[in-house]
Amino acid sequence: MKIGVFVCHCGSNIEATVDTATVAAAAREFPGVVFATDTMYTCSEPGQDEIVDAIKEHNLDGIVVASCSPRMHEQTFRRTVERAGLNKYLFEMANIREHVSWIGKDREANTNKAVDLVRMASEKLMNNQPLYPKKFTINKRVLIIGGGVAGIQAALDCADGGLEVVMVEKTSTIGGKMAKLDKTFPTVDCSSCILGPRMVDVAQHPNITLYAFSEIEEINGYVGNFEIKVKKKATYVDWDACTGCGICMEKCPSKKATDTFNEEIDFTKAINIPFAQAIPKKAKIDPEFCTMLKKGKCGVCAKVCPSGCIDYEMKDEFITEKVGAIVTATGFDLFDWTVYEEYGGGRYPDVITSLQYERMLSASGPTGGHIKRPSDGKEPKDVVFIQCVGSRDKSVGRPYCTGFCCMYTAKQAILTKDHLPGSQSYVFYMDIRAAGKLYDEFTRRAMEEYDTNYIRGRVSMIYPKGDKLLVRGADTLMGTQVEVDADLVVLAVGAEASKGASKLAEKLRISYDSYGFYMEGHPKLKPVETNTAGVYLAGACQGPKDIPSSVAQGSAAAAKVLGLFSKDQLESDPQVSTVDIKRCIGCGKCIQTCPFGAIKEIDFRGMIKANVIETICQGCGICTSTCPQGAVQLQHSTDNQILSEVNALCQF
Amino acid sequence: MKFQEELKESIRKALPELDVVIGWCGSFDPLHATPHFIYGEEDIEKLEISPLNVHNLATYLPGMRGKKVGVVVKGCDSRSVVELLQEKLISRDDITIFGFPCTGVIDQSKVKKAIGYVGNVQSCDMSDESLVVVVDDKPHSLKLSEVLAEKCKSCRYPDAIISDYFVGDRIAKKDPAEPNYKELEKFEKLAVSERFGYWLKELDRCIRCYACRSACPLCVCRDHCIAESRDPHWLSQENNVRDKLMFQVIHAYHMAGRCTECGECQRACPVDIPILMLKQKMNKEVLDIFNYEAGVNLKDTPPLLSFKMEEENITEKDW
């Protein structure tokens, strides 16, 4: 093999701490290397042209580029060598930026390490084989997981683009967190007035199939051909017959059911429709609170239901859907703020979360839009808002900024004045983060026009004083202690990954960060992609996001799906496992360990052999490390390729 | 042995349905036994059950797939059968298992060490406690406990775990709850350099005969072993200790959580390299991490032959 080596300066990123000319000179001595040089920016157009020219001039049949991480530019250079007529797998990358120049300052040591990495790459390259992708047809249907505003946007965009959409929503209605909001910043327009029609569109769109009160049980397959097992949880109500009239809910005698939609500020009935604009507007029974399901006595709802749709015997149902792409829009949940002992740890009824306050402000909420103290139902006069509860706080493991709390706190302060003109709002804040179109103007309005008292400082203590709550905090601008006698305290609770996000990630085979938020393909350049082909992200599941950003991501994910489906066939990645049938003894260990069910037993002239289904194989390599005799080999990472790298490094 | 006749009767009963039954019989001298393939009545009579029956006959089973085979097993051998069944390397329908209570086998290396020259053994008389070997007209009296194989001293499964026919009275399990790794633990306390030095010294005399591999009931790759392949090319054929050690390490890794510690590898070694310790080390780790012991329960899946998103005792997320 004739190998060409290109050592990139990456401007000064690499050259500053690695002597690239020395690396190139050392490479010239390696077996197989006939050409080596250092270049300023190998990924630039002239840099790539240099590779193409060298291949032609020196008749090279393999290329090593020593530069950044393969995650960054492997695809780029593979295309370059392909342009010059080589198979794109006759290319190896040595990462001398993230693995060398960025992590050490010792120029000599860095240079030596870079030489080693280049040597490993060129030794591996000598063991590389040309690989060729196969084509397969795709199923142009898309699954949207989560029916919040991001999922709704993605679903509608895909459906309008002509795709068949399957939407799976965990709760009994779509709408997500946005449906719980009263008004939205910075325009203070009614949340349900702008979201409601979108929800109706989802219900009515001929291309959208909605499974509410359902969860993803299992995901198999691969980009273009996923097979999804959906669990339709038992609602005990035949939704085909239910008209959503609500008589059952009215008559149900079990009045102490948990009202998750209203953030538990009040109770709901054991059979309930979460709110008037719910989509689908269907009743479901909460078996934990239903006397009929618990004790076999009652049956009032069945008696009063005009369409006879109550079915106490209903069981969970499993449905299989085949799709070609998946958009995950599972949103967020609120941080459990009760860890803050200084705010009462949940003991004081008049310390509530911002989302509970939102339900209180909403005309369709349990208080009919009247602000009432949970303790005695009185109207509050002094309302204290505390920001950054479970945000920007390392002590509770939440060092990140949720990003939208500053804005909704300002909105809630404004709305408080609207609802109760005689009231006074106080906001304890750390910094105001109002970066966004018309955002800063909005917070200014809260301060200047609505007379909200913004106090820069943390609250150290809340304790009851008569029927009020004494809020003691610091005013760091004044350098004094502040005490406010509050009637109501609203905590701007931060967002965290939705419950069960990590479990779903494992089913989707996507990665997530230490807080459970899903990892995007690239923090700047691939914001809605994941590292699993065909799986996209929308909304707050990727990180806390306000409504405009969530909607933008929903549309972006839809654009990615439409782009993917613009082709009829996709190419499979040839970096998959293959079985050397001569060496296979049919023990089946690979079949047992494959996480993807990609290996099947076949009969080969009367002998049992293993066989890899290429399109299902994800190239994880577990089978290759399981097979004792090395009969299964992962292409492009074969034992011999890895051994050649190890031998290059560990010479003695 | 008391139940030898009973065992012969069982084999006689089962043989018409079977292609062959594998047991043991006398060998070239009175101090040795050898595997014995029983096809008919005259073969049955030659069957002998004695502490000389060191061989683990389960080793033959994977190579006889498709045949109806009977196999006589000691307690430790039966664990190999269980492991082979778990891994579907043999089929339960094809094999008939004859079990008996084993009181331990003799370690020929120890006998040799005690007597010295064992070239012309004239007789070997065994009782429950002792062993009298006559070599060149000279009798040597040995205590059985002194020449018993190490593995037998801490045996936890003297009766066959799985059997179709069981003869003799079961020995109540001598019951330490966990395997005995005292020797290994002592070795583990040495410094890395001492341990590495030990293995380099021990393995230097390896002649790469692969008897360890051939004797192992779970080394089922046979002709496809990576020790001799070029693709993949894990080992060279050079005569150096590095490759010898590498082979033993590979063998130990392939046995992790599968090895039943029957000790055949070490017994077969013509140069007495203590290679069982490497396998014990892996099993100790497996016991620690997965709380698993190989070849004990037919329904278990060896931990390294399954895929779990998250192992109970490997909490990757806390790293």
Side-chain angles (χ1 to χ4, degrees):
Chain A
M1 184 175 254
K2 285 178 162 178
I3 296 172
V5 177
F6 296 83
V7 188
C8 181
H9 294 200
C10 197
S12 63
N13 272 307
I14 294 169
E15 181 56 35
T17 57
V18 175
D19 184 351
T20 51
T22 304
V23 176
R28 271 179 222 120
E29 306 301 318
F30 295 161
V33 175
V34 296
F35 177 81
T37 184
D38 55 298
T39 58
M40 191 66 181
Y41 286 108
T42 317
C43 61
S44 68
E45 205 177 346
Q48 292 188 43
D49 287 346
E50 205 177 329
I51 297 176
V52 175
D53 294 343
I55 291 172
K56 290 190 176 140
E57 193 184 330
H58 301 279
N59 264 330
L60 303 176
D61 44 19
I63 294 295
V64 173
V65 173
S67 57
C68 48
S69 160
R71 285 275 296 276
M72 188 78 207
H73 274 316
E74 188 169 57
Q75 296 302 334
T76 315
F77 294 124
R78 278 184 179 169
R79 280 194 295 271
T80 311
V81 299
E82 216 166 27
R83 199 145 52 86
L86 296 184
N87 183 284
K88 64 179 176 184
Y89 295 97
L90 297 176
F91 164 76
E92 282 299 323
M93 208 159 168
N95 182 356
I96 61 165
R97 193 179 74 174
E98 283 85 342
H99 286 181
V100 182
S101 70
W102 279 358
I103 55 167
K105 284 182 183 154
D106 181 339
R107 192 171 165 89
E108 194 189 339
N110 279 2
T111 306
N112 290 340
K113 184 174 173 189
V115 170
D116 280 341
L117 291 179
V118 172
R119 181 170 181 124
M120 285 167 72
S122 76
E123 291 283 347
K124 173 169 187 251
L125 181 57
M126 283 202 278
N127 283 282
N128 278 12
Q129 298 288 328
L131 300 174
Y132 302 94
K134 294 210 169 106
K135 295 209 164 182
F136 62 92
T137 48
I138 55 174
N139 183 342
K140 294 186 181 182
R141 299 176 84 225
V142 56
L143 168 75
I144 315 277
I145 307 173
V149 66
I152 288 171
Q153 184 71 25
L156 290 174
D157 284 358
C158 286
D160 288 344
L163 302 180
E164 267 186 61
V165 177
V166 178
M167 179 184 268
V168 174
E169 164 58 42
K170 183 163 67 175
T171 66
S172 68
T173 175
I174 60 169
K177 295 283 186 293
M178 186 176 172
K180 298 186 180 191
L181 306 183
D182 175 36
K183 300 280 187 329
T184 57
F185 62 78
T187 44
V188 202
D189 45 356
C190 158
S191 186
S192 55
C193 309
I194 54 176
L195 181 67
R198 290 305 187 91
M199 290 165 60
V200 175
D201 285 349
V202 169
Q204 292 180 347
H205 206 295
N207 284 353
I208 300 178
T209 311
L210 171 63
Y211 296 112
F213 208 56
S214 300
E215 283 181 48
I216 304 293
E217 184 75 10
E218 225 180 276
I219 298 174
N220 286 309
Y222 49 95
V223 58
N225 293 286
F226 289 107
E227 200 175 289
I228 318 289
K229 198 165 151 196
V230 179
K231 177 163 99 177
K232 275 179 84 176
K233 295 180 279 187
T235 56
Y236 307 98
V237 175
D238 176 4
W239 278 12
D240 290 334
C242 178
T243 59
C245 67
I247 293 177
C248 54
M249 191 172 169
E250 210 173 287
K251 301 288 181 198
C252 175
S254 175
K255 297 172 183 168
K256 289 280 178 192
T258 312
D259 191 352
T260 41
F261 184 79
N262 284 318
E263 294 289 316
E264 302 184 26
I265 23 181
D266 205 349
F267 294 103
T268 185
K269 301 287 185 72
I271 185 164
N272 59 69
I273 299 169
F275 60 109
Q277 297 91 336
I279 296 286
K281 197 180 176 191
K282 308 283 179 188
K284 64 148 204 313
I285 295 179
D286 192 341
E288 212 186 313
F289 300 99
C290 172
T291 350
M292 187 65 186
L293 288 170
K294 274 197 322 202
K295 295 179 187 152
K297 273 183 249 166
C298 183
V300 170
C301 50
K303 253 173 261 161
V304 298
C305 177
S307 44
C309 55
I310 309 293
D311 174 7
Y312 298 115
E313 305 291 309
M314 193 181 263
K315 295 266 171 323
D316 292 350
E317 194 187 333
F318 293 92
I319 293 164
T320 304
E321 285 283 355
K322 292 183 173 177
V323 299
I326 300 171
V327 176
T328 316
T330 48
F332 67 96
D333 271 316
L334 290 189
F335 175 75
D336 177 13
W337 68 274
T338 54
V339 298
Y340 283 100
E341 280 299 316
E342 59 264 48
Y343 305 152
R347 287 187 305 277
Y348 311 138
D350 292 336
V351 179
I352 62 172
T353 71
S354 47
L355 206 50
Q356 287 176 323
Y357 195 55
E358 203 71 51
R359 289 314 298 150
M360 227 183 248
L361 291 168
S362 168
S364 65
T367 58
H370 298 293
I371 303 173
K372 290 176 182 170
R373 282 156 48 106
S375 60
D376 52 13
K378 282 188 199 152
E379 279 185 358
K381 196 184 153 290
D382 294 301
V383 181
V384 169
F385 295 90
I386 303 175
Q387 293 205 196
C388 302
V389 178
S391 292
R392 302 178 65 192
D393 189 348
K394 274 189 199 162
S395 68
V396 294
R398 292 288 178 276
Y400 56 84
C401 172
T402 297
F404 49 71
C405 317
C406 287
M407 293 305 298
Y408 73 63
T409 302
K411 174 196 75 184
Q412 289 180 343
I414 289 174
L415 291 174
T416 306
K417 199 75 161 182
D418 279 345
H419 282 247
L420 308 166
S423 70
Q424 173 64 48
S425 294
Y426 302 83
V427 177
F428 282 90
Y429 71 100
M430 285 163 68
D431 303 286
I432 298 297
R433 300 199 162 170
K437 196 171 169 184
L438 296 175
Y439 282 15
D440 201 60
E441 295 91 317
F442 184 73
T443 52
R444 286 252 152 233
R445 250 172 74 203
M447 294 174 208
E448 287 157 10
E449 290 173 36
Y450 287 84
D451 204 19
T452 309
N453 190 351
Y454 269 74
I455 305 162
R456 187 177 183 276
R458 303 294 291 159
V459 169
S460 59
M461 187 74 158
I462 300 175
Y463 59 91
K465 187 183 167 194
D467 68 339
K468 292 199 165 220
L469 291 163
L470 185 103
V471 180
R472 177 183 292 155
D475 185 335
T476 56
L477 295 180
M478 301 289 284
T480 57
Q481 236 190 30
V482 189
E483 280 185 3
V484 182
D485 287 338
D487 297 297
L488 185 66
V489 177
V490 180
L491 306 176
V493 178
E496 64 179 18
S498 66
K499 285 169 191 68
S502 51
K503 268 197 186 140
L504 180 65
E506 278 152 18
K507 287 177 190 164
L508 286 161
R509 302 189 295 268
I510 60 175
S511 40
Y512 49 93
D513 66 18
S514 49
Y515 309 107
F517 290 115
Y518 297 155
M519 298 284 276
E520 61 278 17
H522 186 280
K524 284 133 209 153
L525 302 176
K526 289 183 178 176
V528 295
E529 290 97 320
T530 64
N531 285 328
T532 300
V535 179
Y536 303 95
L537 305 175
C541 63
Q542 178 259 346
K545 243 170 233 72
D546 60 9
I547 294 166
S549 305
S550 295
V551 171
Q553 275 209 338
S555 285
K560 284 287 161 193
V561 174
L562 288 161
L564 176 76
F565 288 173
S566 65
K567 304 180 200 91
D568 293 323
Q569 287 196 313
L570 292 179
E571 283 190 346
S572 67
D573 187 343
Q575 295 179 78
V576 294
S577 285
T578 54
V579 178
D580 180 350
I581 216 156
K582 302 188 295 297
R583 297 181 59 75
C584 175
I585 60 157
C587 68
K589 294 184 173 67
C590 52
I591 300 171
Q592 271 178 285
T593 52
C594 177
F596 307 104
I599 310 182
K600 296 274 177 295
E601 200 176 282
I602 54 161
D603 180 276
F604 179 78
R605 299 177 194 162
M607 291 174 287
I608 301 168
K609 300 282 176 185
N611 185 44
V612 178
I613 304 160
E614 280 178 36
T615 43
I616 300 179
C617 177
Q618 301 290 311
C620 72
I622 289 179
C623 54
T624 67
S625 50
T626 301
C627 180
Q629 73 275 30
V632 192
Q633 292 289 331
L634 178 60
Q635 297 309 298
H636 214 55
S637 295
T638 63
D639 285 0
N640 278 1
Q641 285 167 342
I642 295 166
L643 284 166
S644 63
E645 289 180 294
V646 174
N647 289 335
L649 192 63
C650 308
Q651 295 179 348
F652 65 94
Chain B
M1 286 275 163
K2 292 157 266 179
F3 44 77
Q4 187 167 297
E5 291 312 309
E6 202 188 327
L7 179 61
K8 284 182 186 171
E9 205 41 54
S10 303
I11 293 175
R12 199 168 279 125
K13 220 181 326 167
L15 192 58
E17 304 291 318
L18 302 173
D19 293 321
V20 64
V21 175
I22 317 172
W24 301 270
C25 68
S27 182
F28 60 92
D29 73 12
L31 188 56
H32 289 84
T34 190
H36 177 47
F37 288 70
I38 300 167
Y39 295 96
E41 180 56 39
E42 66 284 8
D43 300 324
I44 295 179
E45 275 315 310
K46 288 186 198 158
L47 180 81
E48 276 177 38
I49 297 295
S50 83
L52 299 173
N53 294 349
V54 288
H55 324 82
N56 182 350
L57 303 176
T59 308
Y60 291 107
L61 298 176
M64 299 173 91
R65 261 212 269 198
K67 289 203 173 91
K68 296 279 181 198
V69 182
V71 62
V72 188
V73 292
K74 306 187 285 290
C76 49
D77 307 342
S78 73
R79 288 179 61 195
S80 306
V81 176
V82 170
E83 183 68 26
L84 288 167
L85 286 168
Q86 282 177 350
E87 296 184 23
K88 300 186 186 65
L89 291 163
I90 53 176
S91 157
R92 186 70 185 90
D93 297 339
D94 288 344
I95 58 162
T96 304
I97 304 161
F98 300 90
F100 65 90
C102 171
T103 48
V105 294
I106 279 165
D107 184 337
Q108 295 284 358
S109 300
K110 286 186 181 174
V111 176
K112 208 163 137 190
K113 218 174 257 172
I115 299 177
Y117 175 70
V118 285
N120 181 19
V121 179
Q122 286 150 317
S123 75
C124 173
D125 287 313
M126 274 171 286
S127 70
D128 283 351
E129 309 262 295
S130 66
L131 169 81
V132 181
V133 187
V134 181
V135 184
D136 286 342
D137 299 326
K138 200 174 150 204
H140 299 268
S141 183
L142 303 168
K143 269 194 192 153
L144 204 54
S145 60
E146 280 166 10
V147 291
L148 211 57
E150 277 309 306
K151 65 169 178 178
C152 304
K153 290 184 183 167
S154 54
C155 176
R156 294 155 64 234
Y157 301 97
D159 304 320
I161 287 179
I162 182 173
S163 60
D164 298 297
Y165 296 90
F166 192 90
V167 296
D169 300 326
R170 285 179 194 271
I171 303 169
K173 205 161 132 187
K174 302 172 218 162
D175 198 28
E178 302 230 319
N180 175 1
Y181 289 133
K182 280 197 191 102
E183 285 300 309
L184 174 63
E185 277 159 12
K186 228 186 275 170
F187 184 73
E188 280 174 332
K189 291 204 176 84
L190 299 177
V192 175
S193 59
E194 284 176 292
R195 279 179 278 152
F196 194 59
Y198 174 82
W199 287 115
L200 290 184
K201 182 179 133 270
E202 290 291 327
L203 281 160
D204 198 31
R205 62 177 183 273
C206 168
I207 55 170
R208 292 183 86 168
C209 67
Y210 299 119
C212 49
R213 185 177 76 187
S214 304
C216 175
L218 295 168
C219 254
V220 290
C221 306
R222 302 291 162 188
D223 294 346
H224 301 300
C225 179
I226 57 167
E228 288 132 321
S229 94
R230 279 178 179 274
D231 188 8
H233 198 194
W234 282 87
L235 298 172
S236 79
Q237 301 307 309
E238 286 169 46
N239 181 26
N240 60 36
V241 68
R242 178 183 128 198
D243 280 348
K244 292 170 186 177
L245 176 61
M246 188 69 177
F247 173 72
Q248 289 304 336
V249 170
I250 290 171
H251 192 187
Y253 267 93
H254 286 178
M255 288 300 134
R258 299 174 64 223
C259 176
T260 57
E261 295 172 39
C262 70
E264 283 292 86
C265 49
Q266 186 161 323
R267 183 188 65 77
C269 180
V271 288
D272 288 335
I273 302 172
I275 41 180
L276 181 60
M277 205 200 315
L278 291 170
K279 281 114 200 170
Q280 285 176 326
K281 169 69 182 164
M282 298 311 289
N283 273 3
K284 184 166 169 275
E285 297 299 324
V286 167
L287 183 70
D288 190 37
I289 298 171
F290 301 104
N291 191 22
Y292 179 81
E293 203 183 345
V296 176
N297 193 340
L298 199 54
K299 289 197 184 96
D300 287 345
T301 304
L304 296 181
L305 299 186
S306 64
F307 176 80
K308 264 192 209 163
M309 209 63 204
E310 223 170 326
E311 294 287 349
E312 278 157 47
N313 297 326
I314 308 175
T315 45
E316 280 175 69
K317 281 178 193 155
D318 298 340
W319 287 354

